[in-house]
Amino acid sequence: MPPASQYASCGTLGEWQNSVAKLAQAHGRARFSIASAFVSPLLALIGADGGGINLRGPSSIGKTTLLSAAASVWGRGDERGFIRTWRGTGNGIEAAATQFSDTFLPLDEIGVASGHEVGNVIYSIAGGIGKQRANRDGSAKLPNTWRIFILSTGEISILDKIREGGKRTRAGQEIRVLDVNADAGKGLGVFDAGDSPENLARKLRQAAVDFYGTAGPAFIKAIIAKTDDVATIAQESLDTFREQVAANVQSGQVLRAANRIGLVAIAGELAIQLGILPWPTGSVNEAAADAFRNWHAERGGNDPAEVRAAIEQIRGLLERYGDSRFDSPNPVAESRPVTDRLGYVHGEGAERQWWVLPETWRKTFCDGFDAKATALALIERGLLLPGDGSKTSRPARISGRATRAYVLPVAAWTEDATP
């Protein structure tokens, strides 16, 4: 059997609604996934950037089933039809983004992607512009462009995949494609109810290859008929969703994440209003709000990603070497110096402190981060003792010599101090 073309259709919109959409209706993660397939056509209308969601979770809980259901909005819900895979090069993903621009890009199993390329792919997908290339005569080609929202699946997070490739993660990558736990937490994998999740997954996958490719085009036709109204409604709904889930939040990164998930909420609710999704009003908004709460909780709150990553790095150094690579600031004459010293240990018991000299602080503890900003963030959280005035280091005396050191109270790092 030859592969289905990317925008092939089978059956009527009513048949898709009574099969795929009906099977998904009772399950929040399924509603959220299908709604994500309606986001891309709205991006240009409201001037929003692309990006996406990565459904993360263990094997065999139904992630690919949700991807199939979402893909069926635009085409056949399997890899013979609309689903693409992370397997391949960054250039291949760029070509897929160009091909699916303004519709939807479902990408299965990030685990098979190249860890060396994933970070750049994330920026590229969200930015909507491909690599700059040259013609044979040396002149610049026009780069590929697109507007796209992706739904990805994987057993690991985007950031873990980037680290697997030996790359440093960046806050922008975390925010552009958000990791959402695919497990609904009901003991049924991605589903919320039912006696047999395996049977439900089988029915949903089958429906996605029996009836497909009608909901997306119907959505496009409906929004073309009322473009001005849709743009106003979508922007107002996005603002309302952000206020609902992130009221009084000051973190720009968290607000951007609320916008990203809010795009799914407004797209799904609009599809309900236009008669494309046969679900109760508010049901996608509810699923999206739950996805945001899950993301926010697993992220660890409102701290900027750079701060959390810096704290994790410093905590790792202290946990590994806090007893082996820190020396006494006043060693006795017969003591042997510590090999590859990171700093000094001062005091006893609850008053113990790690002292780190400025050069080691910048080059080792804050490697890859802004040392001043990191110090200020730690002071704010009680993980670093403040210096005098605007200084973040403190006067210290080591082997009788006056110097300055960054002072980390041991108790703050060992009494379940969370970032």
Side-chain angles (χ1 to χ4, degrees):
M1 179 180 176
S5 64
Q6 62 179 40
Y7 292 111
S9 64
C10 186
T12 66
L13 175 60
E15 288 174 316
W16 180 85
Q17 291 172 330
N18 288 321
S19 57
V20 175
K22 185 176 181 179
L23 287 166
Q25 180 173 329
H27 311 284
R29 291 295 190 271
R31 295 196 303 274
F32 181 76
S33 298
I34 290 174
S36 71
F38 293 95
V39 171
S40 296
L42 300 179
L43 296 176
L45 288 178
I46 61 176
D49 293 331
I53 304 295
N54 179 52
L55 291 176
R56 173 188 50 76
S59 176
S60 303
I61 66 168
K63 300 186 301 295
T64 300
T65 296
L66 299 190
L67 196 69
S68 296
S72 72
V73 169
W74 294 98
R76 179 177 164 124
D78 62 8
E79 288 191 15
R80 298 181 65 85
F82 208 76
I83 293 178
R84 295 299 182 264
T85 176
W86 278 100
R87 184 184 300 111
T89 65
N91 289 342
I93 301 293
E94 178 182 317
T98 306
Q99 185 180 24
F100 289 89
S101 182
D102 289 316
T103 57
F104 180 54
L105 179 55
L107 288 170
D108 198 19
E109 194 42 67
I110 194 171
V112 301
S114 165
H116 295 285
E117 294 193 300
V118 166
N120 289 334
V121 168
I122 296 302
Y123 280 124
S124 180
I125 284 173
I129 188 165
K131 296 177 182 177
Q132 182 67 63
R133 297 179 173 88
N135 292 305
R136 291 189 177 185
D137 63 1
S139 61
K141 285 184 178 180
L142 289 175
N144 292 329
T145 59
W146 54 81
R147 287 182 297 261
I148 202 70
F149 197 86
I150 74 166
L151 183 65
S152 163
T153 68
E155 295 181 31
I156 64 174
S157 70
I158 293 284
L159 299 187
D160 283 343
K161 188 63 187 180
I162 294 171
R163 294 186 190 106
E164 185 182 286
K167 301 286 187 178
R168 183 179 296 279
T169 60
R170 303 295 180 188
Q173 295 157 337
E174 176 191 33
I175 298 303
R176 283 168 171 79
V177 177
L178 302 175
D179 282 300
V180 171
N181 192 339
D183 195 322
K186 307 295 177 58
L188 300 168
V190 300
F191 302 114
D192 292 325
D195 296 329
S196 173
E198 294 82 5
N199 188 44
L200 178 55
R202 184 169 57 253
K203 288 182 178 179
L204 194 49
R205 287 196 303 271
Q206 186 61 50
V209 297
D210 287 341
F211 307 107
Y212 54 83
T214 53
F219 183 67
I220 293 285
K221 291 177 183 176
I223 62 177
I224 286 175
K226 46 178 67 178
T227 299
D228 292 339
D229 291 341
V230 164
T232 301
I233 291 169
Q235 187 60 63
E236 291 176 352
S237 299
L238 185 59
D239 294 341
T240 299
F241 180 85
R242 187 176 60 250
E243 283 299 311
Q244 173 194 345
V245 300
N248 302 318
V249 170
Q250 301 299 317
S251 167
Q253 292 173 8
V254 173
L255 292 175
R256 286 177 64 193
N259 278 338
R260 190 84 60 207
I261 291 178
L263 288 171
V264 179
I266 65 171
E269 291 296 327
L270 183 59
I272 291 172
Q273 292 178 37
L274 296 174
I276 310 300
L277 286 174
W279 302 335
T281 298
S283 58
V284 175
N285 192 83
E286 177 188 358
D290 181 66
F292 176 81
R293 287 190 293 268
N294 174 273
W295 172 85
H296 191 242
E298 293 200 350
R299 182 182 189 268
N302 297 326
D303 279 341
E306 298 91 341
V307 171
R308 290 185 295 111
I311 291 175
E312 289 173 7
Q313 178 168 293
I314 294 169
R315 189 185 301 282
L317 287 168
L318 296 176
E319 288 178 352
R320 287 194 300 273
Y321 307 119
D323 291 325
S324 62
R325 292 176 60 184
F326 285 79
D327 210 345
S328 168
N330 298 296
V332 297
E334 63 273 16
S335 64
R336 298 179 61 183
V338 170
T339 303
D340 201 11
R341 184 174 54 216
L342 287 174
Y344 301 86
V345 178
H346 173 75
E348 299 290 338
E351 302 302 318
R352 289 177 70 220
Q353 300 169 344
W354 285 300
W355 292 359
V356 181
L357 299 184
E359 192 70 5
T360 305
W361 177 256
R362 287 191 297 271
K363 291 188 175 180
T364 303
F365 281 75
C366 297
D367 180 30
F369 302 99
D370 183 295
K372 179 75 171 181
T374 298
L376 291 172
L378 294 186
I379 290 171
E380 183 180 344
R381 290 155 182 79
L383 298 173
L384 180 72
L385 299 183
D388 302 325
S390 62
K391 292 185 179 296
T392 52
S393 61
R394 295 186 137 202
R397 186 166 290 276
I398 297 171
S399 298
R401 180 175 59 88
T403 184
R404 299 193 72 85
Y406 290 85
V407 179
L408 303 162
V410 174
W413 291 89
T414 55
E415 295 178 358
D416 194 30
T418 55

